[in-house]
Structure formats: structure tokens, C-alpha cells
Amino acid sequence: MIQTEHLSKRYGKLQALTDLNLNIDKGKVFGFIGPNGAGKSTTMLILSTLLTPSEGKAYVCGYDVVKEPKDVRQSLGYMPDFFGVYDNLKATEYLDFYAGAYNIPPAKRKSLIADLLELVNLSNKADAYVDSLSRGMKQRLGLARCLVHSPDVLILDEPASGLDPRARIEMREILKQLRRMNKTILISSHILPELAELCDEIGVIEKGKLIACGAVDDVSIRSRGISMMEVRTVFGAEKAERILRESRFVRQLDDKNSHFRIQFMGTEENKAELLQQLIAAGVGVVHFGDSRENLEDVFLAITEGVGN
Ligand SMILES: Nc1ncnc2c1ncn2[C@@H]1O[C@H](COP(=O)(O)OP(=O)(O)OP(=O)(O)O)[C@@H](O)[C@H]1O
């Protein structure tokens, strides 16, 4: 549904994107992770036909973004990282305006807008002026806006940025709902754990280059063999700490009352080896596995030194 081939973009002398190859299948949620200035928005603008690539090709639903921009725009909904709302419009009027822009017949708009407001949990704000909505509500309204023409593909540039934890959770629940509706979603963030639960695959981009790409669980392994792990023990914590500290597979260790968090560098076999070593030493291991919550550390480890 989304494909790029050797996609590159230069702004004057600045190479913002270099040789990007992406292939996102129907119904998949792809998380695009990278620090500020990595090239995420540039990629999304090209896919949304708002920016022309310097080199390479990009397709959305099989349509070429340069040669068939109208078909691309019909197929996708794009939510920029920042968008304005009009002061004197109510939420329903705002969506009605965009539905009109997509030539949706007036007779169909009322029920469509009611459905969209329900989807984004804003039914009770239908008659509220958009500039009176909280930031989280505005973001959700922005999401409804890019769904008015029922696109198969969604391109969402940092939809949760600037939101408080509750608003982030609400946004995530709506995105899960969109995934259940079989939308293909490209979503960016500079916060990896935020996307881990939502995405089927992630791509890590740094200084315009894709440096790791794949299923959330194996991106770290495929890239540099780094993963974050948790080890919990009920007895023998001191022995465990010594073994973990001395292990050639452990790069970093945090210890909180028999609960160890380690940066592991090695293969799945190496993990089994380490677990056997702990058990053979008489450590009471009750948990030994990958940590999802600390994926940010993996991201930092993967991107460490890249591009320098
Ligand atoms: N219109 C422009 N003219 C010149 N340089 C630009 C322009 N837009 C972006 N850049 C530069 O291109 C690089 C990539 O920017 P881009 O906005 O794509 O990154 P990003 O990953 O989306 O970052 P952020 O999270 O800050 O939005 C940055 O160095 C940025 O300063």
C-alpha cells in the first residue's frame, strides 16, 4: 500500500533523506521513529504529494505520488504534525467543510460526521467551537478530518505530540480501532515505546537514513543485536548481579531490588546460555525476557554514533 524506492530529498545543500526503501502492506501499522530532524516529516510530505522527491519513487495504493497525485490524495488521509483550526467553526461545521472539499454529497455528510465524531470520542463536542477544544480533542478532530473521504491509507505525523498521558492513551485507543478497520497506517514519533504496542513494524530513521527496520520485537536484534531485557529473581540476587555484570553479553545493568534491567547484546542462543548460567549458579529466576517498556533505550543504543 505504501512503497518507496531509493527515495531521496535534498533541500538545497542539505540531504534530508537518502535512499529510503519502504514497503508497507495492507492493514499494517508502520511506526517511523527517529529524533528531530531525521527526515520523518519529509518522507510523509512526499507520500502525501505535498513535496517532490529529488530522486527515487514513491507509491500509495499503487499510484505514483509525482505522476498521479490526485489518485494518491483520494487514497490517503494525512495528518500533519501541526495544523490550524478555524476560530469560528463548530466541530461539525469544521468536518462538514472538509467533507465538502472532498465532494461528499450534503445528504451523506450528517451521518458521516456523526460517525466520525463517535469514532474519535467527540460526539459530545459536536456543537463546541473548535478553538475551545483541548489540545487532545483538537488532535482527535484532526484525525477525524483526515478520515472524511474514507481513505485506505493514513499518514500521521506525530499525532500524540504535546498530549498529556490521558490524551495519549485516548489517541492510541482510536488508532487501535483504525487498525481493526484494516487501515494501513504510517505513524511517526520520536518516542519508541509509544509506538511499540501499536505497530506491526517499525523503521528507525536517523539523519535521513533508515538504519533499522522490521517487526518491533526483532528490530533491535536485526540491527546490532541489542535488546533490553528484564531479569527478576526471588533468591540469589547477589550471585545474579555478579554473573550479569561479568557476562560478555551484558552491556549495561540496572538493579532495583532483585529486579535487573539489562542491555543485552547477542543472539537468542546467547540468551539461553545466560539463563542456564544463572540457574546453574542456584539463582531463583522467576522472570527472564525482553522488556517492551524500555524500548527507548534500544533506540538510543541503535542510533548511538550513527551518522557521525
Ligand atoms: N523546507 C525545508 N527547507 C530546508 N530544510 C528543511 C526543510 N524542511 C526540513 N528541512 C530539514 O530537513 C531535515 C529533515 O527534516 P524533517 O522535518 O523531515 O525531520 P523530522 O524527522 O520530521 O523531524 P521533527 O521530528 O523535528 O519533525 C532537517 O535537517 C530539517 O531541518
Side-chain angles (χ1 to χ4, degrees):
M1 292 297 267
I2 299 176
Q3 204 182 349
T4 70
E5 291 170 1
H6 308 293
L7 195 66
S8 299
K9 177 69 188 175
R10 275 184 306 277
Y11 296 107
K13 283 186 182 162
L14 181 96
Q15 186 75 35
L17 197 62
T18 309
D19 198 28
L20 179 73
N21 294 292
L22 284 181
N23 202 343
I24 307 172
D25 291 334
K26 186 166 173 54
K28 296 283 179 210
V29 181
F30 187 93
F32 212 18
I33 329 265
N36 294 123
K40 306 180 296 294
S41 300
T42 298
T43 307
M44 292 181 151
L45 285 166
I46 294 173
L47 289 168
S48 308
T49 75
L50 300 171
L51 196 65
T52 14
S54 307
E55 274 142 43
K57 296 265 184 194
Y59 304 90
V60 174
C61 294
Y63 298 115
D64 185 313
V65 297
V66 176
K67 293 184 186 150
E68 300 158 298
K70 274 194 182 160
D71 296 304
V72 171
R73 287 177 197 175
Q74 261 319 316
S75 319
L76 70 78
Y78 166 61
M79 184 170 162
D81 52 353
F82 178 80
F83 56 91
V85 288
Y86 300 101
D87 294 356
N88 295 320
L89 284 183
K90 293 177 179 174
T92 40
E93 293 167 342
Y94 180 79
L95 293 178
D96 189 72
F97 171 78
Y98 282 97
Y102 278 101
N103 291 326
I104 291 163
K108 286 192 178 169
R109 290 188 208 160
K110 201 171 169 198
S111 67
L112 169 76
I113 290 169
D115 289 348
L116 287 173
L117 287 172
E118 193 183 329
L119 176 73
V120 299
N121 278 336
L122 285 176
S123 300
N124 59 343
K125 295 286 173 186
D127 292 321
Y129 284 98
V130 291
D131 65 341
S132 72
L133 300 178
S134 69
R135 186 171 167 114
M137 290 174 189
K138 279 184 189 150
Q139 291 286 92
R140 299 204 310 265
L141 186 66
L143 189 56
R145 174 185 112 179
C146 69
L147 289 164
V148 286
H149 56 302
S150 297
D152 287 331
V153 172
L154 290 174
I155 295 185
L156 311 175
D157 199 350
E158 307 229 10
S161 84
L163 302 187
D164 63 34
R166 178 176 290 275
R168 277 171 189 267
I169 291 168
E170 276 171 351
M171 179 59 85
R172 199 163 57 208
E173 289 310 310
I174 296 165
L175 295 174
K176 282 185 189 168
Q177 175 66 23
L178 291 169
R179 178 163 72 169
R180 287 194 285 273
M181 291 161 72
N182 212 23
K183 303 280 184 199
T184 306
I185 304 175
L186 172 62
I187 177 171
S188 71
S189 177
H190 53 272
I191 307 171
L192 183 51
E194 189 171 281
L195 294 184
E197 193 194 335
L198 190 71
C199 296
D200 302 296
E201 290 188 358
I202 56 169
V204 181
I205 186 169
E206 166 93 355
K207 300 200 174 160
K209 290 183 186 154
L210 194 67
I211 55 172
C213 189
V216 174
D217 289 334
D218 26 274
V219 150
S220 52
I221 295 164
R222 278 196 214 162
S223 53
R224 284 173 43 176
I226 300 164
S227 55
M228 297 306 298
M229 293 187 66
E230 280 176 12
V231 181
R232 280 204 306 273
T233 61
V234 276
F235 51 84
E238 279 175 21
K239 266 190 222 159
E241 188 187 343
R242 186 176 43 77
I243 291 169
L244 292 173
R245 254 187 224 295
E246 288 172 4
S247 169
R248 64 194 162 104
F249 307 120
V250 175
R251 283 165 44 118
Q252 200 184 308
L253 171 80
D254 294 324
D255 172 13
K256 276 190 198 129
N257 303 326
S258 319
H259 183 167
F260 303 94
R261 210 177 280 266
I262 60 177
Q263 203 185 84
F264 186 90
M265 193 165 177
T267 62
E268 294 293 287
E269 286 74 23
N270 299 146
K271 282 183 193 168
E273 210 177 299
L274 182 60
L275 177 61
Q276 274 167 351
Q277 205 183 340
L278 289 166
I279 291 169
V283 177
V285 181
V286 285
H287 178 84
F288 184 92
D290 290 331
S291 153
R292 284 181 84 81
E293 45 184 289
N294 224 0
L295 276 166
E296 196 152 46
D297 290 344
V298 175
F299 167 60
L300 289 174
I302 296 171
T303 56
E304 193 184 354
V306 171
N308 291 336

